[in-house]
Amino acid sequence: MTKVFVSGAFNVLHAGHIQFFKDARALGDYLIVSFPPADLLWNLYNKKSVLEDADKLALLRSISYIDEVVLSTDEDAEQSFRSAFVELKPDILAVTTDDLYVEAKQRLCDEVGARLVVLEKTLPEGKNTTSSEVVARIRAPRHVPLRVDFAGGWLDVPENAIPGEYVVNCAVSPTVSLKEWKYRQGAGMGGSGGWSVLNGWDPVSSELGLGVGWQDPAVIAETGACVWQSGRYPVLDFKNTGDFLQGRMAIYDTRIKHNTPGLAGLQRNFRKIAKAARVARMGVLEQDVTVLAVGVQLSYQLQLEEGMAPLESIGASLAHKYCGGGHGGYALYLYESEEDRAAALASCPYLYPIEPYCRTFGKDEQVPWAPEYLERLHKQNVHKDNF
């Protein structure tokens, strides 16, 4: 009889584990599975056990490919299963391609006369998965805000980063969810970042993979009015709730689709972008909408120099600019007072109110559209092509 041995945390059992057990069992006649108990998992690997040891034992023993389940008990991160392995004397030790301790395991096999076999880590359908991805999906929020960017856009793209400079933005409501997404697709308000957060994907990696920056998922996850340090990865400089912007922001639907990734390679004056961001940063720091508006208007002038179409004046706005750098989507308008914004909203059917959003600690809350603006959206059929 050929005995096969595998070990792992198996912290969240998923289809990838089942495929691994199936492939390992196919190497012989008898499959032994070993895992470290909760205290050892924490002490050796700094991982919290998702399941109680008894639950994990019950689940593993119920899998048809597994013939025996044993505990790993040795205080050795590379060979925590050593005692069980030496005692049971299996013929094969099976590991996956991402195993961190292959060399140590090969030495153990040489010591006891076993053979090491490396297996691909795949789902039955061929898609790679990990326990961390499963946990991330469980932890993903049900509702997230989108964002407006005030200044410093493109300084969050790693190759454009300028040390000592800033990216300034704000999370905004109404919120979105996987079921409820009323904004127009191609909005320029960080929709792809929000989609990644809702799905439990690594949102920063997802955005950088599109060739754009990290500011969207960073502020969507952080919430509030935020200032970030320009760099390869998001580092928060400071934030506040954004309450000073309550009743003072609106977005204008240009009815032109926004496309940031397609324009990421254009030449830009990043020093001027940085100058606008320093002014906007001061506005957020001092919670002064008039100072913030200067930074926003400087950013808009740079958008015009880049070739974006001029935006129309709507009411007594302090400043306006396109959301993002995609030459379309929504545009942000700032107003000095709630009365000024209300007058502008009444004058323009394509203008919608938004508010700063700062998540209450521990809450996953939905902030819906006001009924009158939801009706406006329906009349214009804005969200018919959305996610």
Side-chain angles (χ1 to χ4, degrees):
M1 180 175 67
T2 301
K3 293 193 291 186
V4 183
F5 191 101
V6 301
S7 69
F10 309 120
N11 212 13
V12 180
L13 287 173
H14 54 72
H17 291 136
I18 304 302
Q19 184 67 35
F20 176 50
F21 299 144
K22 179 181 179 181
D23 293 344
R25 182 64 169 73
L27 297 172
D29 309 299
Y30 191 86
L31 178 61
I32 305 165
V33 174
S34 178
F35 72 89
D39 56 348
L40 196 62
L41 184 66
W42 179 257
N43 292 338
L44 291 184
Y45 308 107
N46 199 32
K47 289 183 179 180
K48 182 179 179 181
S49 184
V50 175
L51 298 172
E52 295 287 344
D53 294 338
D55 291 338
K56 194 178 293 187
L57 275 167
L59 285 171
L60 290 170
R61 285 170 175 164
S62 71
I63 297 171
S64 61
Y65 303 114
I66 299 174
D67 298 288
E68 184 176 353
V69 183
V70 298
L71 293 179
S72 303
T73 58
D74 297 274
E75 295 280 348
D76 181 347
E78 294 184 340
Q79 298 180 10
S80 63
F81 57 92
R82 177 183 177 84
S83 295
F85 193 82
V86 171
E87 179 183 348
L88 295 168
K89 296 182 174 58
D91 303 283
I92 294 171
L93 175 59
V95 300
T96 54
T97 52
D98 61 349
D99 195 290
L100 298 176
Y101 307 115
V102 172
E103 292 182 3
K105 291 178 179 180
Q106 181 64 66
R107 290 194 301 271
L108 180 60
C109 286
D110 294 341
E111 181 182 330
V112 302
R115 179 164 60 96
L116 184 73
V117 176
V118 180
L119 297 172
E120 292 291 331
K121 189 175 183 180
T122 60
L123 278 173
E125 295 80 9
K127 180 184 178 298
N128 292 324
T129 192
T130 66
S131 296
S132 297
E133 290 171 345
V134 176
V135 172
R137 292 198 68 178
I138 294 170
R139 290 178 174 174
R142 292 177 299 161
H143 309 94
V144 297
L146 294 187
R147 70 97 184 100
V148 290
D149 58 320
F150 297 132
W154 299 112
L155 298 183
D156 59 324
V157 179
E159 54 266 33
N160 301 335
I162 303 175
E165 301 297 350
Y166 305 98
V167 178
V168 189
N169 50 29
C170 184
V172 297
S173 62
T175 56
V176 296
S177 72
L178 295 177
K179 288 185 175 181
E180 191 80 2
W181 196 293
K182 299 299 186 183
Y183 297 87
R184 185 185 294 278
Q185 189 177 15
M189 295 176 64
S192 59
W195 193 251
S196 295
V197 172
L198 287 166
N199 278 284
W201 304 332
D202 180 341
V204 171
S205 295
S206 297
E207 291 296 283
L208 294 178
L210 293 174
V212 296
W214 43 253
Q215 71 157 301
D216 298 355
V219 70
I220 287 168
E222 180 66 37
T223 74
C226 295
V227 176
W228 307 87
Q229 297 175 20
S230 174
R232 293 191 60 82
Y233 298 101
V235 175
L236 188 65
D237 185 49
F238 69 88
K239 66 176 281 188
N240 58 46
T241 62
D243 285 350
F244 74 101
L245 294 166
Q246 190 74 28
R248 293 172 166 179
M249 294 189 294
I251 50 171
Y252 170 69
D253 183 2
T254 67
R255 284 90 70 201
I256 300 170
K257 192 168 183 177
H258 159 99
N259 178 23
T260 298
L263 298 164
L266 292 181
Q267 293 297 312
R268 295 177 173 87
N269 191 325
F270 298 111
R271 289 294 173 185
K272 285 187 177 180
I273 290 174
K275 179 180 179 181
R278 288 196 298 271
V279 177
R281 176 181 182 271
M282 188 60 64
V284 174
L285 179 64
E286 296 181 353
Q287 300 190 47
D288 189 327
V289 69
T290 58
V291 175
L292 176 62
V294 175
V296 169
Q297 201 64 22
L298 286 171
S299 298
Y300 174 59
Q301 293 303 318
L302 293 171
Q303 290 181 330
L304 293 179
E305 291 177 16
E306 186 179 306
M308 297 191 196
L311 291 166
E312 62 182 272
S313 297
I314 306 176
S317 64
L318 293 171
H320 51 256
K321 68 176 288 291
Y322 287 92
C323 296
H327 291 232
Y330 290 98
L332 167 70
Y333 282 70
L334 283 180
Y335 295 89
E336 188 170 12
S337 68
E338 191 166 358
E339 292 75 19
D340 287 343
R341 186 183 73 169
L345 289 167
S347 72
C348 180
Y350 294 101
L351 194 68
Y352 302 90
I354 56 171
E355 303 299 350
Y357 178 86
C358 193
R359 183 178 292 111
T360 304
F361 181 76
K363 286 192 176 180
D364 181 357
E365 54 194 346
Q366 178 187 19
V367 182
W369 289 79
E372 62 268 33
Y373 296 103
L374 189 60
E375 180 63 24
R376 182 179 288 188
L377 286 169
H378 284 306
K379 285 181 179 178
Q380 295 166 3
N381 209 15
V382 162
H383 55 285
K384 63 182 178 67
D385 296 322
N386 286 3
F387 294 101

